[in-house]
Amino acid sequence: MQSPLLTELVNALKILPSVGPKSAQRMAYYLLERNRQGAQKLADVLQESIEKIGHCERCRDLTEDPICHLCSSPSRNANELCVVESPSDVLAIEQSGIYRGLYFVLMGHLSPIDGIGPEEIGLPQLEQRLKEEGVEELILATNPTAEGEATAHYIQQMAQPLGIKVTRLAQGIPLGGELEYIDSGTLGQAFAGRK
Amino acid sequence: MQSPLLTELVNALKILPSVGPKSAQRMAYYLLERNRQGAQKLADVLQESIEKIGHCERCRDLTEDPICHLCSSPSRNANELCVVESPSDVLAIEQSGIYRGLYFVLMGHLSPIDGIGPEEIGLPQLEQRLKEEGVEELILATNPTAEGEATAHYIQQMAQPLGIKVTRLAQGIPLGGELEYIDSGTLGQAFAGRK
Ligand SMILES: [Zn+2]
Ligand SMILES: [Zn+2]
């Protein structure tokens, strides 16, 4: 009934998280009827992002540079390394402002059932960093879920023989919660109370 | 803190209706981390839509053709013309399946305060259609809001001297409601009970 191209656009928008058929329809109409300039900008930036954004060679975070801003910043404390599951977690921790060390982004967590093992989440690379760089404290900030805990446990076992102090975010994070949704204050407490 | 290009992508996504900073962030990560293929499809279809989708010359609905599928369909009843505010309304009415006539899409409603007068919503073009085509019934299906009612009233005044029967969707539409959110059953009732 509707134009085939418009239907295609609605379907393309439906892949976005939390966007159902009705929302996708509204988005398509909004872009074409009321904000073509914004639509063009979105198409351009999306294309450019797909082409240029990859993973930082040091921390695996998303970036358009070989080494991300954070990893190449001279003002960060290289003795502390914080392991998180996703780029959103880096953002959340940075917004809390309490942490001045470096990061390592797993881009997931161990999930043998889905074929996600140590290699897939970059653990060989993390181990190498622990061996070669002067990391004094490894902060395990994976999500407090079963998979996040298992991943943290695995990394702890890996770091132990290297004599590195391993801590885990503790106080303040509600069980089963997702790090990226936690407010800065709570996150700050969790950092301060790490053990 | 975050890569400048990623920030740009988040900002570009924020223009979408009902998408705040947190959602935009999640969308950007999702597209780049978990669904690059979907992201590429979205960028391509969006670009193609911007280039090709315009308005139907007859009904002003969104389409990539000069005349839309509906207007060029020989199975529609050209004696009935239904006036709606937006393409979403056409879609909603089509989904109810009760109407077999043609449409005219205003792409808005009269709103003098915003500088939207008769010309902006295509009324000269509608008047011409009413004069030249054998329209027997003009169904005013603008939203039951103050602006929608005012627009319907204006069109009614315009059609009266031409001796065309003018009806208005009535029964079943809740006051202040938006047509596109109304379920098919209610919409069907409103059509059947038009007066
Ligand atoms: Zn980095
Ligand atoms: Zn048309």
Side-chain angles (χ1 to χ4, degrees):
Chain A
M1 207 60 61
Q2 178 170 255
S3 110
L5 187 51
L6 195 51
T7 303
E8 251 196 283
L9 178 58
V10 172
N11 288 335
L13 286 162
K14 269 197 301 203
I15 67 150
L16 295 170
S18 324
V19 174
K22 280 259 172 185
S23 303
Q25 192 79 50
R26 284 176 64 77
M27 285 175 174
Y29 286 141
Y30 171 80
L31 291 169
L32 294 171
E33 262 181 71
R34 290 203 284 255
N35 196 348
R36 292 232 170 191
Q37 209 179 352
Q40 185 60 63
K41 177 77 183 167
L42 177 56
D44 292 344
V45 176
L46 186 53
Q47 186 59 51
E48 196 186 350
S49 297
I50 294 166
E51 283 163 17
K52 296 191 185 159
I53 295 181
H55 295 121
C56 170
E57 289 168 17
R58 281 196 76 200
C59 74
R60 294 168 47 105
D61 201 356
L62 290 169
T63 175
E64 65 265 40
D65 303 312
I67 304 287
C68 78
H69 286 219
L70 255 162
C71 285
S72 51
S73 161
S75 70
R76 306 293 299 208
N77 176 5
N79 298 329
E80 291 181 345
L81 186 62
C82 180
V83 177
V84 293
E85 295 187 24
S86 84
S88 344
D89 301 331
V90 174
L91 198 69
I93 293 172
E94 286 302 294
Q95 276 163 0
S96 85
I98 201 168
Y99 181 64
R100 298 298 302 159
L102 297 177
Y103 291 94
F104 189 85
V105 187
L106 302 172
M107 291 288 167
H109 46 239
L110 290 176
S111 181
I113 220 170
D114 304 309
I116 299 170
E119 298 260 331
E120 282 71 28
I121 59 171
L123 296 192
Q125 190 184 341
L126 174 61
E127 193 169 23
Q128 202 181 345
R129 272 187 79 167
L130 294 179
K131 280 176 180 162
E132 292 173 2
E133 298 171 20
V135 176
E136 289 169 8
E137 181 180 355
L138 183 66
I139 303 165
L140 301 178
T142 51
N143 284 321
T145 56
E147 296 89 349
E149 294 291 355
T151 306
H153 182 74
Y154 188 99
I155 298 170
Q156 190 192 3
Q157 300 290 95
M158 190 178 86
Q160 222 155 25
L162 304 172
I164 293 164
K165 177 179 168 196
V166 179
T167 56
R168 179 105 179 87
L169 294 198
Q171 199 194 341
I173 302 185
L175 268 174
E178 301 256 27
L179 219 65
E180 62 178 294
Y181 294 117
I182 292 166
D183 63 288
S184 300
T186 309
L187 210 53
Q189 268 203 321
F191 252 87
R194 68 183 183 265
K195 53 184 181 185
Chain B
M1 208 59 63
Q2 178 170 258
S3 111
L5 187 52
L6 196 51
T7 303
E8 250 195 285
L9 178 59
V10 171
N11 288 336
L13 286 163
K14 269 197 300 204
I15 67 149
L16 294 170
S18 327
V19 174
K22 279 258 173 185
S23 302
Q25 192 78 50
R26 283 176 63 76
M27 284 175 177
Y29 286 141
Y30 171 80
L31 291 169
L32 294 171
E33 261 181 73
R34 288 204 286 256
N35 196 347
R36 293 233 169 190
Q37 209 179 353
Q40 186 59 63
K41 177 76 184 170
L42 177 56
D44 292 343
V45 175
L46 187 53
Q47 187 59 52
E48 195 186 349
S49 297
I50 294 165
E51 283 163 18
K52 295 191 185 161
I53 295 181
H55 294 122
C56 170
E57 290 168 15
R58 282 196 75 199
C59 74
R60 294 166 49 103
D61 201 354
L62 290 169
T63 176
E64 66 265 39
D65 302 311
I67 304 288
C68 79
H69 286 218
L70 255 163
C71 284
S72 51
S73 162
S75 70
R76 308 292 299 206
N77 176 6
N79 297 329
E80 292 181 345
L81 187 62
C82 179
V83 178
V84 294
E85 294 187 24
S86 85
S88 344
D89 300 332
V90 173
L91 198 68
I93 292 172
E94 285 301 296
Q95 276 163 359
S96 84
I98 200 166
Y99 180 65
R100 299 298 302 160
L102 297 176
Y103 291 94
F104 190 84
V105 187
L106 301 171
M107 291 289 167
H109 45 239
L110 290 176
S111 181
I113 221 169
D114 303 310
I116 299 171
E119 297 260 332
E120 282 71 27
I121 59 171
L123 296 193
Q125 191 183 338
L126 173 61
E127 194 170 22
Q128 202 180 344
R129 271 187 79 168
L130 294 180
K131 279 176 181 161
E132 292 172 4
E133 299 172 20
V135 176
E136 288 170 8
E137 181 179 354
L138 184 67
I139 302 165
L140 301 178
T142 52
N143 284 322
T145 55
E147 296 88 349
E149 294 290 354
T151 306
H153 182 73
Y154 188 99
I155 297 172
Q156 190 191 5
Q157 300 289 96
M158 190 179 88
Q160 221 155 28
L162 304 172
I164 293 164
K165 179 179 167 195
V166 179
T167 57
R168 180 105 177 88
L169 294 198
Q171 198 194 341
I173 302 183
L175 268 174
E178 301 255 26
L179 219 63
E180 63 178 295
Y181 293 117
I182 293 167
D183 63 287
S184 299
T186 309
L187 210 54
Q189 269 203 320
F191 252 85
R194 68 185 184 263
K195 53 185 183 188

